[in-house]
Amino acid sequence: MYIESFVEYNYIGEIAGLLLSGLLLFVMLYVRPKKTLLFKYIFNGTILSIVAILFQISIIKVANNPDQYYNKNLFGIQLISFLLVYNGILYCIFSYVNMMSVVRRNQRKEFILMYAVLSIIYVIGIIIEIAASGLYTFTLDGIDIRHFTRYYISAGIVCAVVCFIASALNRREISRITWHAVCLFVPTSLVVLIGQMIYVVKAHYIFSATTYVPIFMIGFLLFHNVPYDELSGTQSIYALDAYLMKNMGKKKIWVVYVILKTLDIENFIKKDIDSLYYGISICRNLENLSPSLRLYKMSDNKFVNILEESDPGKAKLIIQEIRGIFDKSRVDLDVPFNYTIIAGELRSETDTILKVRQFFEFISKRFIDHNSSQFYITKESDYKGFSEHYEISSVIRDIRLRENLDDERIVVYAQPIYSVGTGSFKSAEALMRLKVGDKLISPEVFIPIAESSGAIHMLTCIILNKVCRAIGSFSEYYDFDAISINCSSKELSMENLNRDFMEIIERYDIDPSKIRLEVTETAMFENYERANKNMESLSSEGIQFYLDDFGTGYSSLERVMNCPFKTIKFDKTLLYKSLHDDRMNDILSYMIEVFKKNGFITLIEGVEDESQKTYSVDRGFDYIQGYLYAKPTPIEEVKKFFNRKSSF
């Protein structure tokens, strides 16, 4: 029976929802999103959204053109199928919002049971509606599905209200960003749902897809694409970079750099639910300190807290409260952990993202070997020290990238070594300096930086190149045995070490025996087999090896004997101790005797006065190096210490 004239339903909103959900599904499949426990609700909800919209569009097509498409049984299946799929969408939204709380996750069974009861009521309502009105009626030119639409929209409103109430009751257990999202999008969804209920009656507009598709899209963008972790509320390193780029130099920003040290980070984060609860509670307590405090997660054990605060006194008070939160958690948690907290203001010395990151890494290295928890607020001297460190690091990186063996920023000095047997200087040790602007930086400062940045081998190749060039310029006219250079422990185990060194030596057509390499004991222990193989290979080319700084490392005499060393270079600390300690004197005398009996040459370094000289000569050292005999001089001038050849 026809009851009124018909106005066709406008479903442009459903088309928009279909395109949006299709795009979202495509992005999720191809951008490798962060697949947390809750990601499945976003993914499954998006697929159900596509299915529901297709059903909705087909229903509207039939309603607008019943003469062409209507079939009673098929249309009934379409309606019921949509209602069931829509219930699945509501389940995904309901679960996603509530499972953002770790407490609610512990109550998952109760929540599933509650939603099962709501679903049963929903299905019973469908049965009653079908029995009472069939969910739809005929008009003059089409099918009236307004009652059908109002029914499932009512279910959506109930779901939104329940989600908001559950989130409000659980406010302290969810992250600030999650709560803000709920406060923004649940009321917005309610407005759209109510608008749908009104407009389907007044104007026959159907846009119900816009009530659920945006929820999945916002959830994906916030928590699974880049910025936020749904449990901790922390943002990613990319979000931190974006924040710093936007606000550095415009606001007073304090950084609190946190490194957690625990026996098993997996236990702390995933396996132990009590530890997980405390971990999340730390984040909640941090957020409650100040609305200006932002949380960022760098890795499983590294976090950055950003505090916007113009008052230094208030900022330091909040930073102390951050420390208090971690101290309390250390007491409460069963999983043992320590922390390193470094806090400091961003200043002109840290005016780029790279500098910020490197500054706090630079400070944190001081505490890397500490077993206890550490708390440190940066000082004026830290910024000055970092500026020097950063400048040196930049120069070293540039040297490595340019790969110029004649780089003028590597300055080579040489310290002559005195031969006790001949009473003359027969060799020298090449010493590297780094030129940064107008300053010469000592190797004690820049070598660790070069090693940590992977540039040390390039620096060694440069000094070898310059030593070979110097040797080539005066070896024909001056009598000397060799010039030694230091070989880093990092490069002694490199597979291409022999090739790189020999290419440089052959370039200047000098005798390889004129080059000697000084290797520390520590270097031998990093990769003994590879190091020994490289040494054997270079020895076969005529290059001799010194065991440098003997007495400061951990080598056994057996290992020393088995390596192709020719010279044992005793560290100066042994000399200084032996002068005042009879036991050390006996040990040193014994070691000298053992090495000389086995054909090794002995060399002592650090001789600076007559008493040290007399002691060294009396103990039988073959060579002596120190300021008493000669100070380092530019490599080009070291020839002045050598005797001229008689043919000259």
Side-chain angles (χ1 to χ4, degrees), residues 52-169:
I53 294 170
L54 292 175
F55 272 123
Q56 183 74 289
I57 292 174
S58 68
I59 290 169
I60 296 172
K61 276 283 188 181
V62 174
N64 286 342
N65 304 280
D67 294 337
Q68 296 179 352
Y69 304 115
Y70 178 75
N71 177 283
K72 181 178 180 181
N73 294 330
L74 183 59
F75 192 60
I77 292 173
Q78 288 175 281
L79 296 177
I80 294 173
S81 297
F82 173 85
L83 293 173
L84 295 177
V85 173
Y86 186 77
N87 186 55
I89 293 172
L90 296 183
Y91 171 76
C92 290
I93 295 173
F94 181 86
S95 299
Y96 187 80
V97 172
N98 284 283
M99 292 303 112
M100 284 185 176
S101 163
V102 67
V103 174
R104 294 294 187 235
R105 290 187 185 186
N106 291 335
Q107 303 167 347
R108 188 179 306 173
K109 291 182 179 179
E110 290 85 347
F111 266 74
I112 291 176
L113 180 61
M114 183 175 75
Y115 195 82
V117 172
L118 292 175
S119 296
I120 291 172
I121 295 173
Y122 177 80
V123 172
I124 292 174
I126 293 174
I127 295 172
I128 293 173
E129 289 295 327
I130 292 175
S133 63
L135 292 175
Y136 64 93
T137 56
F138 281 91
T139 64
L140 291 174
D141 301 305
I143 299 174
D144 183 357
I145 55 172
R146 291 176 294 179
H147 186 68
F148 159 79
T149 304
R150 290 197 300 271
Y151 180 81
Y152 71 78
I153 290 297
S154 299
I157 291 173
V158 171
C159 179
V161 171
V162 172
C163 285
F164 187 85
I165 293 173
S167 298
L169 293 175

Side-chain angles (χ1 to χ4, degrees), residues 427-443:
S427 60
E429 178 187 2
L431 303 169
M432 193 187 317
R433 303 288 187 267
L434 179 68
K435 188 175 183 181
V436 179
D438 297 329
K439 298 179 292 185
L440 284 182
I441 310 299
S442 68

